[in-house]
Amino acid sequence: MLDETLLDSPERLTDADRRGLLRGAAEAGARVRTAARHAAEAGVGDLKPDGRPRAVLIAGPGAAATHAADLLGTLAGAGSPVTRLAPTGVAPAAGALRWELPGWTGSVDLLLIATPDGTEPGLALLAEQAYRRGCTVVAVAPARSPLSESVSASHGLFIPMATAPYDHDEPLAGAAPGVLWALLTPLLALLDRTGLLEAPPEAVEKVADRLDRIAERCGPAIVTYSNPAKTLAAELADSLPVIWTEGTSAGPAGRRFAAALAELSGTPAVVSELPEALDAHSTLLAGRLAAGADPDDFFRDRVEESPALHARVVLLRDRPIGGLTAAPAARDLALGHDTPISELEPEAGGELETLAELIAITDFAAVYLALASGA
């Protein structure tokens, strides 16, 4: 059950935030600036690549590496050579994970390693394997971690991850807000130098500014009725989030939101892109999860009985290209099945900025839902 009174109590939110999730979300803009500085100090801005890489391979544990690969692939556009290397192993522990390069990997390819840990022996072995193949290696990980020595020994480029003191108080969640931006920002700067995507320093600074503005709008001191993240968290209480996305940038933001809900608050969610979501989820909305599916719910004992789980559509929209949009059809389908709908659309700006806004608001919402539900 969601404790909605906690949402409007900054002191209680702070006490409940044992994992530093709110601080990570609030300091996302600062993380971007620090990470950009680390990339510059590591010499990323001075690189003179000999053309675009044939393939960009991304390896790392958990949600952070998955989301970074998804975001970079989306920003690189159609025909993107960005591929995530999924690990194998008997457990998700750092010592048990292993990564393998595809058999075709060679000197015209680029391996990116992104990890908030840096102690994974499997990533060190991967860097050595890439070196033997002639593949360029770039890693982002905590400074002075074992991985930094392995990458340096493999003649790769190591970029220290932007961290905060409280990162070491508790194990870092892969979907934690601060982790994503600390790992993603140096990789944006690097791929901008390769010509694979556009993320010049001025665009990255705009991302940091946009994240700062969202932190002001969604911070714990802002009451629920004027706080879009707290409002969304309250709306998602005791519901199954059905996340629909529209627009290029909204896709990875929706997938990250679903992963963050599961990892941070234990809330399951389904996600799909419009217009295909209308067919993919029409049966779901017409079934027992529809808001009108249980007429006896009105007579339920509100104290003794848990509420029935019903779907709630969350529509994340980037600005549609050419004015074409499936949003009206999405609203009609949801409301036609008595399913409530929440909508988020970013303010105008560059692709990186709008993507950052969608991620920031949904990150805050996932954190508030986790804290208010006692996760």
Side-chain angles (χ1 to χ4, degrees):
M1 295 291 290
L2 186 79
D3 182 1
E4 293 193 31
T5 63
L6 184 143
L7 291 178
D8 285 328
S9 174
E11 295 80 9
R12 292 177 62 200
L13 282 170
T14 300
D15 291 341
D17 189 21
R18 295 181 298 275
R19 292 178 286 176
L21 298 175
L22 272 178
R23 288 179 292 183
E27 296 173 3
R31 293 270 188 139
V32 168
R33 294 187 182 92
T34 302
R37 187 178 72 250
H38 287 180
E41 291 172 350
V44 170
D46 299 325
L47 295 176
K48 295 180 173 60
D50 186 17
R52 290 161 52 111
R54 178 183 63 179
V56 177
L57 307 172
I58 300 181
T66 301
H67 299 155
D70 192 8
L71 290 163
L72 293 173
T74 298
L75 292 169
S80 162
V82 177
T83 302
R84 179 184 179 243
L85 300 180
T88 58
V90 297
L97 296 176
R98 293 293 182 270
W99 289 261
E100 290 292 333
L101 292 175
W104 46 260
T105 307
S107 60
V108 293
D109 304 313
L110 173 62
L111 171 64
L112 305 179
I113 298 176
T115 172
D117 188 334
T119 65
E120 302 90 346
L123 289 177
L125 293 173
L126 183 69
E128 295 172 8
Q129 183 184 7
Y131 173 64
R132 291 194 300 270
R133 300 263 197 103
C135 177
T136 302
V137 180
V138 179
V140 182
R144 294 179 295 279
S145 60
L147 183 61
S148 66
E149 299 176 4
S150 299
V151 171
S152 298
S154 301
H155 301 280
L157 175 64
F158 180 81
I159 304 173
M161 174 183 166
T163 59
Y166 56 83
D167 282 347
H168 308 290
D169 295 341
E170 296 283 342
L172 286 173
V179 175
L180 174 67
W181 294 109
L183 296 177
L184 180 64
T185 303
L187 302 182
L188 286 172
L190 178 72
L191 295 189
D192 176 71
R193 294 298 299 170
T194 67
L196 195 63
L197 52 79
E198 292 187 10
E202 56 271 20
V204 173
E205 182 60 32
K206 288 181 180 179
V207 167
D209 292 341
R210 180 72 65 101
L211 291 172
D212 286 345
R213 292 199 296 272
I214 297 304
E216 293 175 359
R217 289 174 54 199
C218 298
I222 306 301
V223 295
T224 299
Y225 68 82
S226 59
N227 186 320
K230 287 184 179 179
T231 298
L232 181 57
E235 291 172 345
L236 293 181
D238 304 316
S239 71
L240 172 70
V242 179
I243 303 168
W244 292 345
T245 68
E246 183 175 54
T248 303
S249 298
R255 291 186 287 273
R256 172 174 168 78
F257 187 30
L261 287 171
E263 183 173 354
L264 301 182
S265 69
T267 301
V270 294
V271 59
S272 185
E273 297 187 19
L274 292 175
E276 293 173 323
L278 303 181
D279 281 337
H281 293 158
S282 60
T283 304
L284 184 154
L285 296 185
R288 60 185 177 83
L289 291 172
D294 184 7
D296 295 330
D297 186 63
F298 179 79
F299 301 101
R300 169 177 61 84
D301 186 322
R302 304 289 166 172
V303 176
E304 299 295 333
E305 299 180 35
S306 299
L309 185 68
H310 294 310
R312 184 180 188 98
V313 170
V314 179
L315 179 55
L316 304 182
R317 299 181 65 210
D318 194 4
R319 298 186 179 273
I321 298 174
L324 297 175
T325 175
R331 298 184 189 103
D332 289 344
L333 177 63
L335 298 178
H337 291 295
D338 297 323
T339 301
I341 185 169
S342 304
E343 297 190 38
L344 288 178
E345 183 174 332
E347 298 177 1
E351 185 177 20
L352 275 174
E353 291 176 80
T354 58
L355 178 59
E357 179 170 335
L358 287 174
I359 290 175
I361 294 177
T362 52
D363 274 355
F364 266 107
V367 170
Y368 284 128
L369 188 60
L371 297 180
S373 60

